Amino acid sequence: MGKGCIAVTKYFLFLFNLLFFIFGALIMGFGVWVLFDNQSFIAVLQESSHTVKVASYILIGVGSLSMAMGFFGCIGAIYEIRCLLGLYFTCLLLILIAQVTAGVLIYFQRDRLKHEMSNIIKTMMINYTGQNRTTEHTWDYIQRTMKCCGWTGPGNWSENTVIKNSTQKLYSCSCRNESLPGTDMKEVGLCEQLSSEPPVYETGCITSVEKWLLDNCGVILGICVGVAVVELLGMILSMCLCKSVVQEDYTKVPKY
């Protein structure tokens, strides 16, 4: 390979490693958000399932590893260090295999994941009191913003312990449909039903969540494909540069 091609390969590989470093930072940031967020749908699942917490730790770990790989890949590309380039290629290959495996598992386990999610939400609604600021208020926020009620429908709230044991007719305040007459609007808690029918949305939140996933499916798939393409190109460039390095010159590596 000519010197010009080596130089181009080297700086292209540096660019891809920089992108990989940024992707790693985004993945780690997403993992941290999942772990500490308390104002989204994730918070409802996190409180009731250790799986989400484990997944967030995995995301943080993968993101940190990706950032470290991007850094060492940049060093290996600029200073043409074969051992770092070979290590970078191996790690990229392992990560790509892990991503494909995870995608396949999620696809074939999607019904089980959906069932587990439904159980978590329904259990939360049964024990709902309106006092838990983490999960219950987050679920109120979801119902209010997505304009939905319950998981499959407003009938899910009939299993709530407080509603079943109350002498009053109660409904979830965050389910309140503004276009229907009723009591004053409240963001959280349980409200008294004055009419024969509760003034709530008829659509279950599972429909809204599935619609959101379908609307954003292209974006999610695009991000996954983009990450995979960057990884493949990084692997190809690292191998090309590694084969072109005949003798390593460690004197070029800065010493601190």
Side-chain angles (χ1 to χ4, degrees):
M1 189 184 293
K3 288 186 177 180
C5 291
I6 292 174
V8 170
T9 303
K10 181 165 63 174
Y11 288 109
F12 261 111
L13 184 58
F14 176 82
L15 177 62
F16 279 114
N17 276 293
L18 184 62
L19 289 174
F20 203 71
F21 181 87
I22 294 170
F23 276 129
L26 290 174
I27 292 171
M28 187 178 71
F30 180 69
V32 172
W33 173 73
V34 169
L35 190 62
F36 294 104
D37 175 68
N38 61 357
Q39 287 296 321
S40 71
F41 183 70
I42 297 294
V44 179
L45 301 178
Q46 189 186 91
E47 186 76 9
S48 305
S49 176
H50 293 295
T51 306
V52 178
K53 290 184 179 179
V54 171
S56 65
Y57 287 124
I58 292 173
L59 286 172
I60 292 171
V62 170
S64 302
L65 178 63
S66 300
M67 290 175 68
M69 283 177 55
F71 175 75
F72 288 117
C74 287
I75 299 297
I78 292 297
Y79 297 108
E80 300 178 11
I81 303 174
R82 295 186 71 179
C83 64
L84 285 180
L85 292 171
L87 179 64
Y88 173 72
F89 174 86
T90 305
C91 290
L92 267 185
L93 180 61
L94 291 174
I95 287 177
L96 189 60
I97 292 171
Q99 287 173 342
V100 172
T101 304
V104 171
L105 286 174
I106 289 171
Y107 178 78
F108 285 106
Q109 295 291 323
R110 62 189 185 279
D111 291 334
R112 180 181 175 184
L113 292 172
K114 184 177 178 180
H115 179 71
E116 182 182 351
M117 188 183 300
S118 298
N119 287 338
I120 291 169
I121 301 299
K122 288 177 181 178
T123 301
M124 185 274 302
M125 284 193 292
I126 289 173
N127 300 316
Y128 180 94
T129 60
Q131 303 299 318
N132 189 320
R133 292 184 177 274
T134 303
T135 55
E136 295 180 353
H137 288 195
T138 300
W139 181 245
D140 285 323
Y141 174 79
I142 292 167
Q143 290 190 136
R144 195 166 57 250
T145 54
M146 287 190 168
K147 296 184 177 181
C148 56
C149 189
W151 183 238
T152 57
N156 296 141
W157 282 103
S158 62
E159 298 298 319
N160 177 264
T161 305
V162 177
I163 293 177
K164 286 173 69 174
N165 296 327
S166 175
T167 55
Q168 298 174 314
K169 291 184 177 181
L170 302 175
Y171 66 92
S172 173
C173 298
S174 57
C175 284
R176 171 70 193 279
N177 189 335
E178 298 179 20
S179 62
L180 299 176
T183 56
D184 294 336
M185 298 289 294
K186 292 182 180 178
E187 294 188 346
V188 297
L190 299 172
C191 294
E192 185 179 357
Q193 176 185 329
L194 300 179
S195 57
S196 58
E197 294 294 329
V200 298
Y201 297 108
E202 295 297 325
T203 307
C205 291
I206 186 173
T207 306
S208 301
V209 171
E210 288 177 344
K211 182 179 183 301
W212 182 88
L213 289 173
L214 286 173
D215 291 343
N216 293 276
C217 183
V219 176
I220 296 169
L221 186 61
I223 291 172
C224 294
V225 171
V227 171
V229 168
V230 169
E231 289 172 348
L232 284 172
L233 287 175
M235 290 166 61
I236 293 168
L237 290 174
S238 64
M239 273 295 95
C240 291
L241 185 58
C242 191
K243 289 178 67 176
S244 69
V245 176
V246 179
Q247 185 175 1
E248 295 167 316
D249 185 6
Y250 290 102
T251 60
K252 296 187 293 182
V253 181
K255 296 178 175 60
Y256 300 98

Short mmCIF file of all heavy atoms in Angstrom, two decimals, residues 183-207:
data_model
loop_
_atom_site.label_atom_id
_atom_site.label_comp_id
_atom_site.label_asym_id
_atom_site.label_seq_id
_atom_site.Cartn_x
_atom_site.Cartn_y
_atom_site.Cartn_z
N THR A 183 -65.34 16.76 37.56
CA THR A 183 -64.73 17.55 38.63
C THR A 183 -63.54 18.34 38.10
O THR A 183 -63.13 18.19 36.95
CB THR A 183 -64.25 16.62 39.77
OG1 THR A 183 -63.36 15.65 39.22
CG2 THR A 183 -65.42 15.91 40.41
N ASP A 184 -62.97 19.21 38.96
CA ASP A 184 -61.80 20.00 38.57
C ASP A 184 -60.64 19.07 38.20
O ASP A 184 -60.48 17.98 38.75
CB ASP A 184 -61.37 20.91 39.72
CG ASP A 184 -62.42 21.97 40.02
OD1 ASP A 184 -63.20 22.28 39.10
OD2 ASP A 184 -62.46 22.46 41.17
N MET A 185 -59.82 19.54 37.25
CA MET A 185 -58.69 18.75 36.77
C MET A 185 -57.62 18.62 37.85
O MET A 185 -57.26 19.60 38.50
CB MET A 185 -58.08 19.41 35.53
CG MET A 185 -59.03 19.51 34.34
SD MET A 185 -59.33 17.91 33.59
CE MET A 185 -57.71 17.53 32.96
N LYS A 186 -57.14 17.40 38.06
CA LYS A 186 -56.01 17.12 38.95
C LYS A 186 -55.00 16.28 38.20
O LYS A 186 -55.37 15.45 37.37
CB LYS A 186 -56.47 16.38 40.21
CG LYS A 186 -57.35 17.21 41.14
CD LYS A 186 -57.71 16.41 42.39
CE LYS A 186 -58.59 17.22 43.33
NZ LYS A 186 -58.98 16.43 44.53
N GLU A 187 -53.72 16.49 38.50
CA GLU A 187 -52.67 15.79 37.77
C GLU A 187 -52.39 14.40 38.32
O GLU A 187 -51.97 13.51 37.57
CB GLU A 187 -51.38 16.62 37.76
CG GLU A 187 -51.52 17.91 36.97
CD GLU A 187 -50.18 18.62 36.80
OE1 GLU A 187 -49.23 18.25 37.52
OE2 GLU A 187 -50.10 19.51 35.95
N VAL A 188 -52.56 14.19 39.61
CA VAL A 188 -52.25 12.89 40.21
C VAL A 188 -53.35 12.49 41.19
O VAL A 188 -54.22 13.30 41.54
CB VAL A 188 -50.89 12.94 40.98
CG1 VAL A 188 -49.74 13.23 40.04
CG2 VAL A 188 -50.94 13.98 42.10
N GLY A 189 -53.30 11.23 41.63
CA GLY A 189 -54.24 10.76 42.63
C GLY A 189 -55.52 10.20 42.04
O GLY A 189 -55.62 9.95 40.83
N LEU A 190 -56.51 10.01 42.89
CA LEU A 190 -57.81 9.48 42.48
C LEU A 190 -58.88 10.54 42.70
O LEU A 190 -58.88 11.23 43.71
CB LEU A 190 -58.14 8.23 43.30
CG LEU A 190 -57.16 7.05 43.14
CD1 LEU A 190 -57.48 5.95 44.15
CD2 LEU A 190 -57.18 6.51 41.73
N CYS A 191 -59.78 10.67 41.72
CA CYS A 191 -60.84 11.69 41.77
C CYS A 191 -62.21 11.02 41.91
O CYS A 191 -62.40 9.88 41.49
CB CYS A 191 -60.80 12.55 40.51
SG CYS A 191 -59.31 13.57 40.35
N GLU A 192 -63.15 11.79 42.45
CA GLU A 192 -64.50 11.26 42.63
C GLU A 192 -65.29 11.39 41.34
O GLU A 192 -65.26 12.42 40.66
CB GLU A 192 -65.22 12.00 43.76
CG GLU A 192 -66.59 11.43 44.07
CD GLU A 192 -67.29 12.15 45.21
OE1 GLU A 192 -66.66 13.08 45.80
OE2 GLU A 192 -68.44 11.81 45.51
N GLN A 193 -66.00 10.34 41.01
CA GLN A 193 -66.82 10.30 39.80
C GLN A 193 -68.23 10.79 40.13
O GLN A 193 -68.92 10.21 40.96
CB GLN A 193 -66.84 8.86 39.27
CG GLN A 193 -67.73 8.63 38.08
CD GLN A 193 -67.77 7.17 37.69
OE1 GLN A 193 -66.80 6.43 37.89
NE2 GLN A 193 -68.90 6.72 37.18
N LEU A 194 -68.66 11.90 39.47
CA LEU A 194 -69.97 12.49 39.76
C LEU A 194 -71.05 11.98 38.83
O LEU A 194 -72.22 11.92 39.21
CB LEU A 194 -69.88 14.01 39.66
CG LEU A 194 -68.87 14.69 40.63
CD1 LEU A 194 -68.86 16.19 40.42
CD2 LEU A 194 -69.19 14.33 42.08
N SER A 195 -70.68 11.61 37.59
CA SER A 195 -71.66 11.12 36.62
C SER A 195 -71.69 9.59 36.61
O SER A 195 -70.90 8.94 37.31
CB SER A 195 -71.31 11.64 35.22
OG SER A 195 -70.00 11.26 34.86
N SER A 196 -72.59 9.03 35.84
CA SER A 196 -72.70 7.56 35.78
C SER A 196 -71.49 6.93 35.12
O SER A 196 -71.10 5.80 35.45
CB SER A 196 -73.98 7.17 35.03
OG SER A 196 -73.96 7.72 33.72
N GLU A 197 -70.90 7.65 34.19
CA GLU A 197 -69.71 7.17 33.49
C GLU A 197 -68.52 8.06 33.83
O GLU A 197 -68.65 9.29 33.85
CB GLU A 197 -69.94 7.15 31.98
CG GLU A 197 -70.99 6.16 31.50
CD GLU A 197 -70.56 4.72 31.73
OE1 GLU A 197 -69.35 4.45 31.69
OE2 GLU A 197 -71.45 3.87 31.97
N PRO A 198 -67.36 7.48 34.09
CA PRO A 198 -66.19 8.31 34.42
C PRO A 198 -65.72 9.13 33.20
O PRO A 198 -65.71 8.61 32.09
CB PRO A 198 -65.12 7.28 34.82
CG PRO A 198 -65.55 6.01 34.14
CD PRO A 198 -67.05 6.04 34.11
N PRO A 199 -65.36 10.40 33.41
CA PRO A 199 -64.93 11.27 32.30
C PRO A 199 -63.47 11.02 31.91
O PRO A 199 -62.60 11.87 32.11
CB PRO A 199 -65.14 12.67 32.86
CG PRO A 199 -64.89 12.51 34.34
CD PRO A 199 -65.37 11.14 34.70
N VAL A 200 -63.20 9.82 31.39
CA VAL A 200 -61.81 9.43 31.12
C VAL A 200 -61.63 9.07 29.64
O VAL A 200 -62.59 8.87 28.90
CB VAL A 200 -61.40 8.22 32.00
CG1 VAL A 200 -61.47 8.58 33.47
CG2 VAL A 200 -62.28 7.00 31.70
N TYR A 201 -60.36 8.97 29.25
CA TYR A 201 -60.03 8.52 27.90
C TYR A 201 -60.35 7.03 27.78
O TYR A 201 -60.18 6.26 28.73
CB TYR A 201 -58.55 8.75 27.60
CG TYR A 201 -58.15 10.20 27.61
CD1 TYR A 201 -57.37 10.71 28.65
CD2 TYR A 201 -58.53 11.06 26.59
CE1 TYR A 201 -56.99 12.05 28.66
CE2 TYR A 201 -58.17 12.39 26.60
CZ TYR A 201 -57.40 12.90 27.63
OH TYR A 201 -57.04 14.21 27.66
N GLU A 202 -60.79 6.61 26.62
CA GLU A 202 -61.18 5.22 26.41
C GLU A 202 -60.03 4.37 25.87
O GLU A 202 -60.10 3.14 25.91
CB GLU A 202 -62.37 5.15 25.44
CG GLU A 202 -63.64 5.79 25.96
CD GLU A 202 -64.17 5.08 27.21
OE1 GLU A 202 -64.04 3.84 27.29
OE2 GLU A 202 -64.68 5.76 28.11
N THR A 203 -58.98 5.00 25.39
CA THR A 203 -57.86 4.27 24.78
C THR A 203 -56.85 3.85 25.84
O THR A 203 -56.49 4.64 26.72
CB THR A 203 -57.14 5.15 23.73
OG1 THR A 203 -58.10 5.63 22.80
CG2 THR A 203 -56.06 4.36 23.01
N GLY A 204 -56.41 2.59 25.78
CA GLY A 204 -55.37 2.11 26.69
C GLY A 204 -54.00 2.62 26.28
O GLY A 204 -53.75 2.90 25.10
N CYS A 205 -53.09 2.73 27.24
CA CYS A 205 -51.77 3.29 26.96
C CYS A 205 -50.90 2.36 26.13
O CYS A 205 -49.93 2.80 25.50
CB CYS A 205 -51.05 3.64 28.26
SG CYS A 205 -51.81 5.02 29.14
N ILE A 206 -51.22 1.06 26.10
CA ILE A 206 -50.46 0.13 25.28
C ILE A 206 -50.55 0.52 23.81
O ILE A 206 -49.58 0.41 23.05
CB ILE A 206 -50.93 -1.33 25.49
CG1 ILE A 206 -50.01 -2.29 24.74
CG2 ILE A 206 -52.38 -1.52 25.09
CD1 ILE A 206 -50.30 -3.75 25.02
N THR A 207 -51.73 1.02 23.41
CA THR A 207 -51.92 1.47 22.02
C THR A 207 -51.04 2.67 21.72
O THR A 207 -50.41 2.75 20.65
CB THR A 207 -53.40 1.83 21.78
OG1 THR A 207 -54.21 0.72 22.15
CG2 THR A 207 -53.64 2.18 20.33
#
